[in-house]
Amino acid sequence: MSPSVTTNGHTNGANGHADGHHSESLRKDANVTSKVASPKEEQLVLNTVRCLAADLCQQYKGGHPGTVMGAAAIGLALWRYEMRYNPANPDWFNRDRFVLSAGHACLLQYLYLHFSGYEAWTMDQIKQYHAPIMSGSMAAGHPEIEYPGCEVTTGPLGQGISNAVGMAMASKNLAAIYNKDDLKVVDNKIWCFTGDGCLQEGVGQESISFAGHLGLDNLILIYDNNSVTVDGNIDACFSEDTSAKLKAQGWHVIEVDDGSNNLAGILEGFDQAKALKGKPVLVNIKTVIGHSSKKENTGAVHGAALGDEDVRHVKEALGFNPEDKFVIPPKVYDYFQECKPKGAAAEAEWNKTMEQYAQKYPEEHKQLQMRLAGKFAEDNWRELLPEKNALPTAPQPTRKSSGIAVQALVPKYNSFISGSADLMESTFVNFKGQVDFQNPESGLGDYTGRQIRWGIREHAMIGTANGYAAYQKGMFIPIASTFFMFWLYAAPAVRMSALQGLRFIGIATHDSIGIGEDGPTHQPIALGAFYRALPNINLIRPADAEEVMGAWQIALDDQNANTPSLFTLSRQAVPLLEGTDRHKMTKGAYVVYGQDIEPELTIVSTGAEVSRAIETAKLLSSTKKVRVVSMPSQKHFDAQSLEYRQSVLPTSTSLVVAVEAWGSYGWARYAHASLSMHTFGYSAPQEQMYEKFGFKADNMASKIDAWVQKWKGQDRLPTVGEFDELLLGYAQH
């Protein structure tokens, strides 16, 4: 039976003082701090936070005051009593991690970071919350990863739940690998604050299901259950019993009533949550959004300033002078004065443990220190990737070539975790000696495992991979895989990876019409355009096994430590091409055929179509002065000098045509014409698909010859706006 805490927490008078229930007995039992606060002191802190929320949002007439006011007691319980952290060293490795999945409530986090002693979080910084100017403030409208005390960037609801699950997995894995019976160097908790919106989002539900399956008892999910979103009461759209649902998904559940006032109940619930074993824990806390506002319990208080009249009302109700702004009584700072020495003592104790660990277990300590520094290898890992003359000479899919790199690297380095959303063998991310990351009680694996079976949860796959990557920058390199089409499901989390500078390696197989019989539902004709447009990601479409090795080198290069990479790989076999070069491809595009020719025509292509482009070049009758360029990465090509780019794609002296079995969007930047897809595909064997849509070499040669003759007759090259779509096959499905 899951535990339950239900307390009344009645209030007394306009100042909202707690009646009878406070933290005294709980704090003695929990052995958290030697000084016990009175209910009056606790209430003063809560009232101060609520008035600050009202003032800070009203200052620039924007922001989210409601959750801050309603959940003030939750924040107080976390930062004053329950979480283990050191304000003087926000990056202390064995700290508890706090993830604000309900990112709109960031003002709550900012205020408690300030009160608990994070030096960077001054009130001057916090006063820039929702400021209308680019002031260099840390107090963004949603938390940002690069600032002290903010573990990840959240915004799109539900992402934080997924990140927290990934962090809990990371912590479990490290503990299983490095902890010893006598010395525990990793034993932290992951706290995640969530609201009604995160629990409605699919990514949140995917991640909750996965965490329950894995039995992540180091994860505590705090549900600020105020039953209100932007549109109003959730009764209009949501009628689930969340506690019952999570119990059914393998979670412990603790319930706390009157969480806007009942600090004692919250503390008791959190103490129980930390002690429970075997399952993750939901602490379902019922709160009043916008507590003390005239608009409490309504959608109006969720995402808008209260208005001058209501701000005045709040202050009067809570015993503050309505004429004063940003008031923080000295007793509030006194209340938090033990946070810094408590955090310093916790880190000092851990440092002693690490000293003992280094003496007793020097090899493990050395590896852990290397990973703490963000390094995954001491040796030259590139030497493990076979040179071109050692790669298979027979045609093979680039997805299988990527598996060569996985087998060469992943078993050797503990930093890699590798897995798939239900397509492990199809994407070739499984590796020799694999152990599945599983709840040890399942009999399917254990927490030392670095092979992840995410199930059919593409969105959560990357959300949790982000949690791994953010746990300690560089400590983990997640490898995640599915068909390229299903990276559309994962795209919101990938965008967060790129925004935060979190490195993962994405394996996106079945990357075009070559998927064949599965039909147009599985053929990602347009998705490449999104990923090419996304800042700070390496989208790489390699032409053969040699370029696949180059893609891995790009992804793992030190300069890409803060950049995710996504390889789009073929299902169908492609030949090992004579002109490909893993070193040259780092420039994004290079000549693979006709290197010594001053071209009249340049064909630029990517991935599985490069070999077809070379075949086509050999069949042309309109000109023999033709070169073929492989462009595995538009991003890397764009970063080269103008001189280099013009030497590869001489658009001012040569006709340039692109060949790619995706949509043509974006190719006008590099070419005068394209042979591309203009429909969603079809269901047929892959060779029939390429023939149906005109990508056979003889048909492409015919189309290109006619186009070249047209422009030869005009005695000039095309200009901007004259981009030609050389329709290959059927214009409609």
Side-chain angles (χ1 to χ4, degrees):
M1 178 71 68
S2 293
S4 178
V5 176
T6 304
T7 54
N8 294 323
H10 297 298
T11 60
N12 178 24
N15 290 333
H17 294 157
D19 180 19
H21 291 285
H22 62 91
S23 60
E24 183 170 355
S25 62
L26 294 167
R27 295 307 89 214
K28 289 178 180 177
D29 292 342
N31 193 30
V32 174
T33 178
S34 59
K35 181 179 178 181
V36 177
S38 71
K40 186 175 180 180
E41 290 174 311
E42 292 165 350
Q43 197 64 51
L44 178 63
V45 175
L46 299 182
N47 292 349
T48 300
V49 169
R50 287 165 180 152
C51 290
L52 285 170
D55 275 340
L56 288 162
C57 292
Q58 189 60 28
Q59 177 181 210
Y60 295 116
K61 297 180 173 56
H64 295 76
T67 301
V68 183
M69 299 170 74
I74 297 174
L76 187 154
L78 287 170
W79 273 275
R80 177 62 175 83
Y81 295 113
E82 298 288 347
M83 289 197 300
R84 184 176 60 183
Y85 63 96
N86 183 5
N89 182 12
D91 296 326
W92 169 41
F93 174 64
N94 201 39
R95 68 191 181 277
D96 286 359
R97 267 66 168 176
F98 174 78
V99 177
L100 185 69
S101 189
H104 57 273
C106 57
L107 191 53
L108 180 78
Q109 183 174 8
Y110 300 159
L111 288 170
Y112 281 112
L113 289 172
H114 170 69
F115 289 137
S116 58
Y118 285 75
E119 292 183 3
W121 285 101
T122 65
M123 276 307 297
D124 285 340
Q125 275 289 350
I126 296 173
K127 285 178 183 178
Q128 298 302 311
Y129 173 69
H130 270 255
I133 55 174
M134 296 296 290
S135 59
S137 169
M138 302 187 301
H142 290 80
E144 300 282 353
I145 190 173
E146 63 266 30
Y147 299 124
C150 297
E151 301 290 355
V152 289
T153 297
T154 58
L157 292 174
Q159 293 290 332
I161 295 179
S162 198
N163 300 158
V165 172
M167 288 184 173
M169 294 170 70
S171 184
K172 281 288 189 185
N173 180 251
L174 292 168
I177 292 175
Y178 295 106
N179 282 356
K180 305 298 180 181
D181 289 341
D182 57 335
L183 292 170
K184 303 292 190 292
V185 292
V186 182
D187 62 351
N188 54 0
K189 294 289 186 181
I190 312 300
W191 302 81
C192 181
F193 181 99
T194 187
D196 295 293
C198 298
L199 292 173
Q200 292 179 42
E201 289 285 0
V203 65
Q205 290 299 318
E206 289 179 22
S207 304
I208 286 168
S209 170
F210 196 38
H213 166 75
L214 294 171
L216 300 175
D217 56 14
N218 58 343
L219 173 63
I220 301 171
L221 182 63
I222 304 163
Y223 176 20
D224 174 39
N225 184 356
N226 60 46
S227 299
V228 171
T229 59
V230 177
D231 276 354
N233 194 287
I234 62 169
D235 289 347
C237 63
F238 191 79
S239 52
E240 296 175 5
D241 183 336
T242 297
S243 291
K245 184 175 182 178
L246 266 73
K247 285 180 184 178
Q249 290 176 295
W251 288 62
H252 292 299
V253 174
I254 297 170
E255 295 182 338
V256 181
D257 287 341
D258 192 23
S260 291
N261 299 295
N262 184 11
L263 180 61
I266 295 170
L267 290 168
E268 185 177 348
F270 286 170
D271 287 345
Q272 288 195 30
K274 290 194 293 186
L276 288 167
K277 301 297 182 184
K279 301 177 182 180
V281 184
L282 171 74
V283 186
N284 186 340
I285 305 175
K286 188 65 179 175
T287 63
V288 176
I289 192 170
H291 184 282
S292 305
S293 164
K294 290 182 178 180
K295 304 170 186 173
E296 67 179 24
N297 265 333
T298 69
V301 79
H302 169 87
L306 302 181
D308 291 329
E309 181 183 349
D310 199 14
V311 171
R312 185 179 187 90
H313 166 80
V314 168
K315 292 179 181 178
E316 289 175 342
L318 298 179
F320 280 63
N321 185 342
E323 304 303 324
D324 296 336
K325 295 183 178 180
F326 311 118
V327 173
I328 303 176
K331 288 185 177 180
V332 173
Y333 288 112
D334 292 342
Y335 183 82
F336 288 93
Q337 67 180 353
E338 292 191 13
C339 292
K340 294 181 77 171
K342 183 175 68 173
E347 182 176 356
E349 183 179 354
W350 181 79
N351 287 337
K352 289 181 180 179
T353 300
M354 283 293 284
E355 290 174 4
Q356 297 171 357
Y357 189 85
Q359 293 176 358
K360 293 191 69 174
Y361 308 104
E363 288 303 314
E364 291 93 332
H365 180 265
K366 179 182 178 182
Q367 185 182 100
L368 185 57
Q369 288 297 118
M370 183 181 71
R371 293 181 66 183
L372 280 166
K375 299 177 181 179
F376 76 90
E378 287 185 311
D379 55 3
N380 185 3
W381 54 267
R382 290 174 179 81
E383 293 179 353
L384 298 177
L385 298 175
E387 293 295 330
K388 187 172 184 178
N389 59 14
L391 290 170
T393 55
Q396 69 175 17
T398 52
R399 62 171 175 156
K400 189 173 183 180
S401 299
S402 178
I404 295 173
V406 171
Q407 293 288 0
L409 297 172
V410 175
K412 183 173 181 179
Y413 303 112
N414 278 345
S415 294
F416 289 106
I417 60 112
S418 180
S420 175
D422 199 49
L423 292 165
M424 192 84 72
E425 294 182 1
S426 187
T427 56
F428 291 89
V429 295
N430 49 341
F431 56 95
K432 295 176 183 177
Q434 62 182 328
V435 174
D436 275 10
F437 182 91
Q438 296 280 357
N439 186 340
E441 295 183 1
S442 69
L444 301 172
D446 58 53
Y447 292 141
T448 67
R450 296 186 292 111
Q451 186 87 73
I452 314 293
R453 298 183 187 271
W454 273 283
I456 308 168
R457 302 182 181 99
E458 293 89 356
H459 197 168
M461 175 174 68
I462 303 305
T464 56
N466 286 343
Y468 267 103
Y471 185 85
Q472 175 81 13
K473 279 287 191 84
M475 179 163 271
F476 289 94
I477 302 176
I479 301 167
S481 68
T482 185
F483 293 178
F484 188 30
M485 188 67 248
F486 305 137
W487 281 89
L488 183 58
Y489 281 8
V494 177
R495 179 180 176 274
M496 299 303 288
S497 314
L499 189 156
Q500 297 176 86
L502 299 176
R503 174 162 63 180
F504 71 80
I505 297 174
I507 306 299
T509 67
H510 298 57
D511 75 340
S512 191
I513 60 173
I515 192 171
E517 295 91 330
D518 278 340
T521 62
H522 283 47
Q523 294 165 18
I525 304 308
L527 191 52
F530 166 75
Y531 281 111
R532 282 171 171 162
L534 186 65
N536 192 40
I537 188 170
N538 300 318
L539 182 78
I540 304 174
R541 190 171 188 232
D544 66 357
E546 172 69 358
E547 286 197 354
V548 169
M549 298 303 114
W552 276 89
Q553 290 191 166
I554 289 172
L556 293 174
D557 191 270
D558 287 344
Q559 68 181 9
N560 286 311
N562 297 312
T563 303
S565 297
L566 183 60
F567 308 155
T568 70
L569 306 173
S570 70
R571 176 201 184 195
Q572 72 274 24
V574 294
L576 185 65
L577 301 172
E578 182 179 346
T580 51
D581 187 312
R582 70 186 67 182
H583 305 295
K584 291 180 179 178
M585 70 168 283
T586 60
K587 294 188 175 182
Y590 64 106
V591 180
V592 293
Y593 174 83
Q595 290 92 336
D596 300 325
I597 294 172
E598 287 294 327
E600 294 179 338
L601 172 69
T602 299
I603 303 176
V604 57
S605 189
T606 74
E609 285 80 70
V610 174
S611 60
R612 295 176 180 272
I614 293 173
E615 290 179 48
T616 300
K618 295 175 180 178
L619 297 176
L620 291 171
S621 60
S622 56
T623 179
K624 295 301 179 184
K625 294 182 178 181
V626 58
R627 69 166 47 158
V628 177
V629 169
S630 175
M631 184 182 276
S633 172
Q634 292 183 357
K635 169 191 169 180
H636 287 82
F637 183 68
D638 291 344
Q640 305 309 312
S641 67
L642 177 62
E643 180 182 17
Y644 178 79
R645 284 181 282 136
Q646 289 181 338
S647 72
V648 173
L649 294 179
T651 51
S652 60
T653 59
S654 165
L655 288 166
V656 180
V657 61
V659 173
E660 187 176 55
W662 290 351
S664 66
Y665 188 82
W667 278 113
R669 185 172 182 175
Y670 307 99
H672 302 120
S674 79
L675 295 88
S676 304
M677 288 294 295
H678 296 273
T679 183
F680 287 99
Y682 209 77
S683 178
Q686 62 97 2
E687 274 303 318
Q688 292 181 28
M689 288 288 293
Y690 274 95
E691 182 173 2
K692 178 178 180 65
F693 291 102
F695 286 95
K696 299 289 281 188
D698 56 351
N699 184 63
M700 289 197 292
S702 175
K703 295 284 186 179
I704 293 172
D705 275 334
W707 178 71
V708 170
Q709 292 294 352
K710 181 184 80 169
W711 283 102
K712 277 187 174 181
Q714 297 190 38
D715 197 29
R716 67 179 181 86
L717 294 174
T719 59
V720 174
E722 294 183 300
F723 184 82
D724 277 321
E725 301 273 6
L726 306 183
L727 297 177
L728 296 179
Y730 296 85
Q732 295 182 347
H733 168 56

